Amino acid sequence: AVSDADTYSAFNVSEDASNWTINQLTNQALSITDLIYAGGSYVITTNNNATPILISDDGVTWSSTGAFNVPAESLNNIIYQNAIYVAVGQNIVTSSDLDLWIERYAFTNGLTNIFNGVCYASTAGFTGYIAIGLGQQVVADTAVNVAIIYTSLDAYTWTQVSFTATTLGFNSIASNSQTIVAVGDDGIIYTSFNGTTWFVQSSTVASTLNNIIWDSYNNRFVVVGENGTILTGTIDGITWSSQTSGVSSILESVVWNNTALQYVVVGLD
């Protein structure tokens, strides 16, 4: 797990998810946004324009983007699929080796746009990458918010999906072999089988939803969000149930531990 304090950022390690060791990464808060272990390396994304990506082979020694020249200033999420790292934020960048990074998509409409999440989907209707977030479009000479969805077959060429169903932003996206699910502000949940046609679902909550995963072990979607919100969803992403977290804090991320057979949720406070 990774974290930000007032004066530093840290990489936190635990063998049992109960006792944690805090390893300081920097002497300033980087606004860390994501962490993955993939392709033999740990990779961190941040909202710090000097170090949008940090890389480590062992979780101890970290290299900043000064050595890798990432063409991005702020990144929110990263995945690894088909031997390609795909990171999204102010733009979309990819790398096959964590050394050379290439910008694959950049917003050019002059409005406020941001990608918050990305996933790889392989359903009967679509196989490829999907990036989601919050953007703007001009309506009657006024810039108005709209959720944004972009798709790509290869992670290199991206196309915007025609989608105007909500002015709320998407924060996270996940998929199983049947359904793609995007979650976001004020409890919104949308599902799709092909990445193009989307259906609104009832989350039963109004809290902002920050992260979603597909748990293949238990065959369910799991979502966490503000006000201690934890939701579990059926394989089709239609039926959602609230779970008791025991906290009222902002929950930011969830993973399933196959070894310990338990979920680990992290957040604020």
Side-chain angles (χ1 to χ4, degrees):
V2 286
S3 60
D4 288 307
D6 290 339
T7 58
Y8 66 89
S9 291
F11 182 78
N12 310 308
V13 180
S14 175
E15 294 183 354
D16 57 11
S18 296
N19 301 294
W20 292 83
T21 300
I22 299 175
N23 301 302
Q24 185 172 326
L25 289 175
T26 62
N27 293 322
Q28 64 174 352
L30 298 178
S31 187
I32 292 175
T33 54
D34 199 12
L35 164 69
I36 63 170
Y37 180 78
S41 297
Y42 295 95
V43 187
I44 289 173
T45 58
T46 83
N47 288 154
N48 184 284
N49 58 12
T51 56
I53 287 182
L54 297 170
I55 301 163
S56 175
D57 292 332
D58 56 11
V60 177
T61 303
W62 292 84
S63 299
S64 72
T65 59
F68 303 105
N69 192 29
V70 178
E73 294 182 354
S74 179
L75 296 170
N76 291 322
N77 190 210
I78 186 169
I79 63 170
Y80 181 76
Q81 184 68 39
N82 298 330
I84 305 170
Y85 296 92
V86 183
V88 302
Q90 70 168 36
N91 55 1
I92 299 176
V93 296
T94 68
S95 177
S96 59
D97 58 8
L98 294 176
D99 187 9
L100 175 64
W101 290 84
I102 299 173
E103 181 178 76
R104 300 299 182 177
Y105 184 84
F107 295 106
T108 58
N109 63 5
L111 301 174
T112 302
N113 304 275
I114 191 73
F115 290 114
N116 292 320
V118 61
C119 82
Y120 182 83
S122 183
T123 68
F126 178 78
T127 297
Y129 304 81
I130 304 177
I132 48 85
L134 178 63
Q136 289 186 323
Q137 63 181 8
V138 176
V139 178
D141 297 326
T142 301
V144 296
N145 289 344
V146 63
I148 55 175
I149 303 169
Y150 284 69
T151 62
S152 174
L153 299 179
D154 56 9
Y156 301 147
T157 302
W158 292 83
T159 303
Q160 184 171 11
V161 173
S162 178
F163 181 83
T164 57
T166 178
T167 60
L168 300 169
F170 287 129
N171 296 324
S172 185
I173 185 169
S175 175
N176 56 31
S177 61
Q178 174 180 324
T179 308
I180 307 159
V181 183
V183 302
D185 296 341
D186 293 355
I188 61 169
I189 296 179
Y190 282 78
T191 61
S192 177
F193 68 95
N194 61 7
T196 302
T197 305
W198 293 82
F199 302 93
V200 64
Q201 308 297 340
S202 174
S203 68
T204 72
V205 300
S207 298
T208 288
L209 305 176
N210 294 322
N211 184 230
I212 181 172
I213 63 168
W214 167 248
D215 167 16
S216 59
Y217 185 91
N218 295 294
N219 287 320
R220 61 168 71 111
F221 288 100
V222 182
V223 176
V224 298
E226 294 184 356
N227 302 309
T229 298
I230 299 178
L231 303 176
T232 53
T234 51
I235 190 172
D236 57 9
I238 294 176
T239 304
W240 295 87
S241 303
S242 294
Q243 308 299 328
T244 301
S245 68
V247 300
S248 58
S249 305
I250 296 175
L251 303 179
E252 295 190 320
S253 187
V254 56
V255 297
W256 168 256
N257 185 328
N258 273 327
T259 301
L261 299 182
Q262 63 182 2
Y263 295 102
V264 180
V265 179
V266 297
L268 303 185
D269 303 326

mmCIF file of all heavy atoms in Angstrom, residues 96-127:
data_model
loop_
_atom_site.group_PDB
_atom_site.id
_atom_site.type_symbol
_atom_site.label_atom_id
_atom_site.label_comp_id
_atom_site.label_asym_id
_atom_site.label_seq_id
_atom_site.Cartn_x
_atom_site.Cartn_y
_atom_site.Cartn_z
ATOM 1 N N SER A 96 6.217 -0.293 -22.714
ATOM 2 C CA SER A 96 6.395 -1.747 -22.714
ATOM 3 C C SER A 96 7.539 -2.174 -21.812
ATOM 4 O O SER A 96 7.673 -3.364 -21.510
ATOM 5 C CB SER A 96 6.650 -2.258 -24.136
ATOM 6 O OG SER A 96 7.806 -1.659 -24.690
ATOM 7 N N ASP A 97 8.357 -1.198 -21.372
ATOM 8 C CA ASP A 97 9.542 -1.552 -20.604
ATOM 9 C C ASP A 97 9.802 -0.646 -19.400
ATOM 10 O O ASP A 97 10.832 -0.780 -18.729
ATOM 11 C CB ASP A 97 10.775 -1.542 -21.508
ATOM 12 C CG ASP A 97 11.002 -0.188 -22.175
ATOM 13 O OD1 ASP A 97 10.306 0.790 -21.833
ATOM 14 O OD2 ASP A 97 11.887 -0.113 -23.046
ATOM 15 N N LEU A 98 8.901 0.297 -19.109
ATOM 16 C CA LEU A 98 9.031 1.271 -18.019
ATOM 17 C C LEU A 98 10.180 2.247 -18.239
ATOM 18 O O LEU A 98 10.503 3.034 -17.347
ATOM 19 C CB LEU A 98 9.207 0.570 -16.660
ATOM 20 C CG LEU A 98 8.028 -0.243 -16.173
ATOM 21 C CD1 LEU A 98 8.372 -0.959 -14.862
ATOM 22 C CD2 LEU A 98 6.796 0.624 -15.983
ATOM 23 N N ASP A 99 10.769 2.201 -19.409
ATOM 24 C CA ASP A 99 11.856 3.115 -19.746
ATOM 25 C C ASP A 99 11.369 4.156 -20.739
ATOM 26 O O ASP A 99 11.434 5.359 -20.487
ATOM 27 C CB ASP A 99 13.038 2.333 -20.313
ATOM 28 C CG ASP A 99 14.266 3.203 -20.521
ATOM 29 O OD1 ASP A 99 14.253 4.362 -20.078
ATOM 30 O OD2 ASP A 99 15.248 2.719 -21.115
ATOM 31 N N LEU A 100 10.866 3.693 -21.862
ATOM 32 C CA LEU A 100 10.333 4.593 -22.880
ATOM 33 C C LEU A 100 8.819 4.709 -22.725
ATOM 34 O O LEU A 100 8.101 3.714 -22.800
ATOM 35 C CB LEU A 100 10.670 4.071 -24.275
ATOM 36 C CG LEU A 100 10.067 4.853 -25.448
ATOM 37 C CD1 LEU A 100 10.618 6.280 -25.482
ATOM 38 C CD2 LEU A 100 10.321 4.124 -26.754
ATOM 39 N N TRP A 101 8.341 5.928 -22.508
ATOM 40 C CA TRP A 101 6.913 6.206 -22.385
ATOM 41 C C TRP A 101 6.467 7.066 -23.562
ATOM 42 O O TRP A 101 7.154 8.004 -23.954
ATOM 43 C CB TRP A 101 6.604 6.925 -21.074
ATOM 44 C CG TRP A 101 6.775 6.046 -19.871
ATOM 45 C CD1 TRP A 101 7.939 5.791 -19.202
ATOM 46 C CD2 TRP A 101 5.768 5.291 -19.215
ATOM 47 N NE1 TRP A 101 7.708 4.917 -18.169
ATOM 48 C CE2 TRP A 101 6.382 4.606 -18.146
ATOM 49 C CE3 TRP A 101 4.394 5.132 -19.428
ATOM 50 C CZ2 TRP A 101 5.667 3.774 -17.291
ATOM 51 C CZ3 TRP A 101 3.679 4.304 -18.567
ATOM 52 C CH2 TRP A 101 4.312 3.633 -17.513
ATOM 53 N N ILE A 102 5.303 6.739 -24.097
ATOM 54 C CA ILE A 102 4.778 7.450 -25.261
ATOM 55 C C ILE A 102 3.367 7.943 -24.970
ATOM 56 O O ILE A 102 2.531 7.184 -24.456
ATOM 57 C CB ILE A 102 4.763 6.536 -26.507
ATOM 58 C CG1 ILE A 102 6.179 6.076 -26.840
ATOM 59 C CG2 ILE A 102 4.139 7.261 -27.704
ATOM 60 C CD1 ILE A 102 6.230 5.042 -27.955
ATOM 61 N N GLU A 103 3.118 9.213 -25.281
ATOM 62 C CA GLU A 103 1.773 9.742 -25.141
ATOM 63 C C GLU A 103 0.897 9.200 -26.270
ATOM 64 O O GLU A 103 1.226 9.325 -27.442
ATOM 65 C CB GLU A 103 1.783 11.266 -25.190
ATOM 66 C CG GLU A 103 0.402 11.888 -25.017
ATOM 67 C CD GLU A 103 0.449 13.401 -25.025
ATOM 68 O OE1 GLU A 103 0.595 13.974 -26.129
ATOM 69 O OE2 GLU A 103 0.343 14.010 -23.948
ATOM 70 N N ARG A 104 -0.227 8.581 -25.887
ATOM 71 C CA ARG A 104 -1.124 7.991 -26.876
ATOM 72 C C ARG A 104 -2.367 8.830 -27.113
ATOM 73 O O ARG A 104 -2.988 8.737 -28.171
ATOM 74 C CB ARG A 104 -1.537 6.589 -26.431
ATOM 75 C CG ARG A 104 -0.374 5.632 -26.257
ATOM 76 C CD ARG A 104 0.392 5.434 -27.557
ATOM 77 N NE ARG A 104 1.488 4.470 -27.382
ATOM 78 C CZ ARG A 104 2.279 4.069 -28.363
ATOM 79 N NH1 ARG A 104 2.116 4.555 -29.590
ATOM 80 N NH2 ARG A 104 3.244 3.205 -28.136
ATOM 81 N N TYR A 105 -2.754 9.622 -26.112
ATOM 82 C CA TYR A 105 -3.911 10.495 -26.300
ATOM 83 C C TYR A 105 -3.754 11.719 -25.412
ATOM 84 O O TYR A 105 -3.332 11.607 -24.254
ATOM 85 C CB TYR A 105 -5.229 9.791 -25.953
ATOM 86 C CG TYR A 105 -6.423 10.684 -26.235
ATOM 87 C CD1 TYR A 105 -6.955 10.754 -27.514
ATOM 88 C CD2 TYR A 105 -6.968 11.489 -25.240
ATOM 89 C CE1 TYR A 105 -8.019 11.606 -27.798
ATOM 90 C CE2 TYR A 105 -8.027 12.341 -25.508
ATOM 91 C CZ TYR A 105 -8.550 12.400 -26.792
ATOM 92 O OH TYR A 105 -9.581 13.249 -27.069
ATOM 93 N N ALA A 106 -4.117 12.883 -25.955
ATOM 94 C CA ALA A 106 -4.115 14.135 -25.196
ATOM 95 C C ALA A 106 -5.364 14.918 -25.558
ATOM 96 O O ALA A 106 -5.782 14.942 -26.727
ATOM 97 C CB ALA A 106 -2.863 14.955 -25.500
ATOM 98 N N PHE A 107 -5.975 15.544 -24.570
ATOM 99 C CA PHE A 107 -7.152 16.372 -24.819
ATOM 100 C C PHE A 107 -6.733 17.642 -25.563
ATOM 101 O O PHE A 107 -5.715 18.256 -25.239
ATOM 102 C CB PHE A 107 -7.824 16.747 -23.501
ATOM 103 C CG PHE A 107 -8.381 15.569 -22.754
ATOM 104 C CD1 PHE A 107 -7.745 15.094 -21.610
ATOM 105 C CD2 PHE A 107 -9.531 14.937 -23.193
ATOM 106 C CE1 PHE A 107 -8.257 14.008 -20.917
ATOM 107 C CE2 PHE A 107 -10.052 13.841 -22.508
ATOM 108 C CZ PHE A 107 -9.414 13.379 -21.366
ATOM 109 N N THR A 108 -7.550 18.041 -26.530
ATOM 110 C CA THR A 108 -7.205 19.205 -27.340
ATOM 111 C C THR A 108 -8.339 20.217 -27.441
ATOM 112 O O THR A 108 -8.232 21.182 -28.186
ATOM 113 C CB THR A 108 -6.824 18.771 -28.774
ATOM 114 O OG1 THR A 108 -7.918 18.050 -29.356
ATOM 115 C CG2 THR A 108 -5.586 17.894 -28.767
ATOM 116 N N ASN A 109 -9.438 20.017 -26.678
ATOM 117 C CA ASN A 109 -10.580 20.923 -26.835
ATOM 118 C C ASN A 109 -10.481 22.180 -25.977
ATOM 119 O O ASN A 109 -11.368 23.033 -26.003
ATOM 120 C CB ASN A 109 -11.904 20.198 -26.548
ATOM 121 C CG ASN A 109 -12.009 19.688 -25.118
ATOM 122 O OD1 ASN A 109 -11.142 19.945 -24.281
ATOM 123 N ND2 ASN A 109 -13.069 18.948 -24.842
ATOM 124 N N GLY A 110 -9.402 22.292 -25.160
ATOM 125 C CA GLY A 110 -9.208 23.489 -24.354
ATOM 126 C C GLY A 110 -10.089 23.562 -23.131
ATOM 127 O O GLY A 110 -10.064 24.566 -22.399
ATOM 128 N N LEU A 111 -10.864 22.503 -22.858
ATOM 129 C CA LEU A 111 -11.744 22.469 -21.698
ATOM 130 C C LEU A 111 -11.103 21.632 -20.586
ATOM 131 O O LEU A 111 -9.996 21.126 -20.733
ATOM 132 C CB LEU A 111 -13.099 21.897 -22.097
ATOM 133 C CG LEU A 111 -13.828 22.663 -23.207
ATOM 134 C CD1 LEU A 111 -15.093 21.925 -23.623
ATOM 135 C CD2 LEU A 111 -14.143 24.083 -22.773
ATOM 136 N N THR A 112 -11.795 21.495 -19.486
ATOM 137 C CA THR A 112 -11.282 20.727 -18.357
ATOM 138 C C THR A 112 -11.659 19.261 -18.517
ATOM 139 O O THR A 112 -12.848 18.911 -18.517
ATOM 140 C CB THR A 112 -11.840 21.267 -17.034
ATOM 141 O OG1 THR A 112 -11.477 22.643 -16.903
ATOM 142 C CG2 THR A 112 -11.294 20.481 -15.858
ATOM 143 N N ASN A 113 -10.654 18.405 -18.666
ATOM 144 C CA ASN A 113 -10.878 16.977 -18.854
ATOM 145 C C ASN A 113 -9.845 16.192 -18.053
ATOM 146 O O ASN A 113 -8.687 16.589 -17.969
ATOM 147 C CB ASN A 113 -10.737 16.582 -20.325
ATOM 148 C CG ASN A 113 -11.652 17.350 -21.249
ATOM 149 O OD1 ASN A 113 -12.795 16.980 -21.430
ATOM 150 N ND2 ASN A 113 -11.146 18.442 -21.834
ATOM 151 N N ILE A 114 -10.267 15.064 -17.496
ATOM 152 C CA ILE A 114 -9.341 14.227 -16.748
ATOM 153 C C ILE A 114 -9.795 12.772 -16.810
ATOM 154 O O ILE A 114 -10.986 12.472 -16.704
ATOM 155 C CB ILE A 114 -9.229 14.687 -15.273
ATOM 156 C CG1 ILE A 114 -8.055 13.986 -14.568
ATOM 157 C CG2 ILE A 114 -10.531 14.488 -14.528
ATOM 158 C CD1 ILE A 114 -6.716 14.492 -14.983
ATOM 159 N N PHE A 115 -8.845 11.871 -17.041
ATOM 160 C CA PHE A 115 -9.114 10.445 -16.926
ATOM 161 C C PHE A 115 -8.835 10.021 -15.485
ATOM 162 O O PHE A 115 -7.778 10.328 -14.931
ATOM 163 C CB PHE A 115 -8.214 9.639 -17.857
ATOM 164 C CG PHE A 115 -8.524 9.803 -19.315
ATOM 165 C CD1 PHE A 115 -7.617 10.420 -20.169
ATOM 166 C CD2 PHE A 115 -9.709 9.319 -19.840
ATOM 167 C CE1 PHE A 115 -7.888 10.563 -21.524
ATOM 168 C CE2 PHE A 115 -9.992 9.453 -21.198
ATOM 169 C CZ PHE A 115 -9.087 10.077 -22.041
ATOM 170 N N ASN A 116 -9.779 9.279 -14.891
ATOM 171 C CA ASN A 116 -9.609 8.809 -13.515
ATOM 172 C C ASN A 116 -9.323 7.316 -13.420
ATOM 173 O O ASN A 116 -8.789 6.854 -12.410
ATOM 174 C CB ASN A 116 -10.862 9.129 -12.691
ATOM 175 C CG ASN A 116 -11.042 10.612 -12.471
ATOM 176 O OD1 ASN A 116 -10.074 11.325 -12.234
ATOM 177 N ND2 ASN A 116 -12.274 11.082 -12.564
ATOM 178 N N GLY A 117 -9.690 6.556 -14.442
ATOM 179 C CA GLY A 117 -9.493 5.124 -14.362
ATOM 180 C C GLY A 117 -9.379 4.476 -15.726
ATOM 181 O O GLY A 117 -9.798 5.043 -16.743
ATOM 182 N N VAL A 118 -8.819 3.272 -15.742
ATOM 183 C CA VAL A 118 -8.666 2.515 -16.977
ATOM 184 C C VAL A 118 -8.729 1.032 -16.637
ATOM 185 O O VAL A 118 -8.315 0.607 -15.550
ATOM 186 C CB VAL A 118 -7.331 2.855 -17.690
ATOM 187 C CG1 VAL A 118 -6.136 2.514 -16.818
ATOM 188 C CG2 VAL A 118 -7.234 2.175 -19.047
ATOM 189 N N CYS A 119 -9.270 0.237 -17.542
ATOM 190 C CA CYS A 119 -9.276 -1.207 -17.346
ATOM 191 C C CYS A 119 -9.132 -1.903 -18.688
ATOM 192 O O CYS A 119 -9.301 -1.285 -19.745
ATOM 193 C CB CYS A 119 -10.553 -1.679 -16.636
ATOM 194 S SG CYS A 119 -11.990 -1.889 -17.729
ATOM 195 N N TYR A 120 -8.816 -3.188 -18.636
ATOM 196 C CA TYR A 120 -8.832 -4.048 -19.815
ATOM 197 C C TYR A 120 -10.056 -4.937 -19.700
ATOM 198 O O TYR A 120 -10.321 -5.523 -18.645
ATOM 199 C CB TYR A 120 -7.571 -4.895 -19.893
ATOM 200 C CG TYR A 120 -7.523 -5.766 -21.133
ATOM 201 C CD1 TYR A 120 -7.091 -5.245 -22.344
ATOM 202 C CD2 TYR A 120 -7.920 -7.103 -21.085
ATOM 203 C CE1 TYR A 120 -7.048 -6.040 -23.486
ATOM 204 C CE2 TYR A 120 -7.875 -7.896 -22.218
ATOM 205 C CZ TYR A 120 -7.443 -7.358 -23.419
ATOM 206 O OH TYR A 120 -7.403 -8.142 -24.545
ATOM 207 N N ALA A 121 -10.824 -5.014 -20.770
ATOM 208 C CA ALA A 121 -12.043 -5.822 -20.771
ATOM 209 C C ALA A 121 -11.979 -6.858 -21.877
ATOM 210 O O ALA A 121 -11.435 -6.604 -22.961
ATOM 211 C CB ALA A 121 -13.269 -4.934 -20.965
ATOM 212 N N SER A 122 -12.533 -8.027 -21.601
ATOM 213 C CA SER A 122 -12.648 -9.065 -22.615
ATOM 214 C C SER A 122 -13.999 -9.743 -22.430
ATOM 215 O O SER A 122 -14.136 -10.723 -21.690
ATOM 216 C CB SER A 122 -11.504 -10.080 -22.494
ATOM 217 O OG SER A 122 -11.588 -11.048 -23.528
ATOM 218 N N THR A 123 -15.010 -9.172 -23.070
ATOM 219 C CA THR A 123 -16.363 -9.707 -23.009
ATOM 220 C C THR A 123 -16.761 -10.196 -24.399
ATOM 221 O O THR A 123 -16.009 -10.061 -25.365
ATOM 222 C CB THR A 123 -17.352 -8.623 -22.552
ATOM 223 O OG1 THR A 123 -17.459 -7.625 -23.584
ATOM 224 C CG2 THR A 123 -16.887 -7.961 -21.256
ATOM 225 N N ALA A 124 -17.984 -10.707 -24.499
ATOM 226 C CA ALA A 124 -18.468 -11.150 -25.802
ATOM 227 C C ALA A 124 -18.618 -9.990 -26.765
ATOM 228 O O ALA A 124 -18.552 -10.165 -27.989
ATOM 229 C CB ALA A 124 -19.813 -11.869 -25.634
ATOM 230 N N GLY A 125 -18.790 -8.766 -26.215
ATOM 231 C CA GLY A 125 -19.022 -7.612 -27.062
ATOM 232 C C GLY A 125 -17.820 -6.726 -27.304
ATOM 233 O O GLY A 125 -17.827 -5.896 -28.223
ATOM 234 N N PHE A 126 -16.759 -6.886 -26.497
ATOM 235 C CA PHE A 126 -15.611 -5.987 -26.642
ATOM 236 C C PHE A 126 -14.373 -6.595 -26.007
ATOM 237 O O PHE A 126 -14.424 -7.143 -24.901
ATOM 238 C CB PHE A 126 -15.900 -4.635 -25.973
ATOM 239 C CG PHE A 126 -14.754 -3.664 -26.031
ATOM 240 C CD1 PHE A 126 -14.491 -2.956 -27.198
ATOM 241 C CD2 PHE A 126 -13.926 -3.460 -24.939
ATOM 242 C CE1 PHE A 126 -13.432 -2.058 -27.268
ATOM 243 C CE2 PHE A 126 -12.868 -2.566 -24.985
ATOM 244 C CZ PHE A 126 -12.622 -1.870 -26.167
ATOM 245 N N THR A 127 -13.257 -6.459 -26.695
ATOM 246 C CA THR A 127 -11.963 -6.833 -26.138
ATOM 247 C C THR A 127 -11.008 -5.674 -26.360
ATOM 248 O O THR A 127 -10.730 -5.294 -27.510
ATOM 249 C CB THR A 127 -11.403 -8.099 -26.802
ATOM 250 O OG1 THR A 127 -12.283 -9.200 -26.546
ATOM 251 C CG2 THR A 127 -10.023 -8.434 -26.241
#
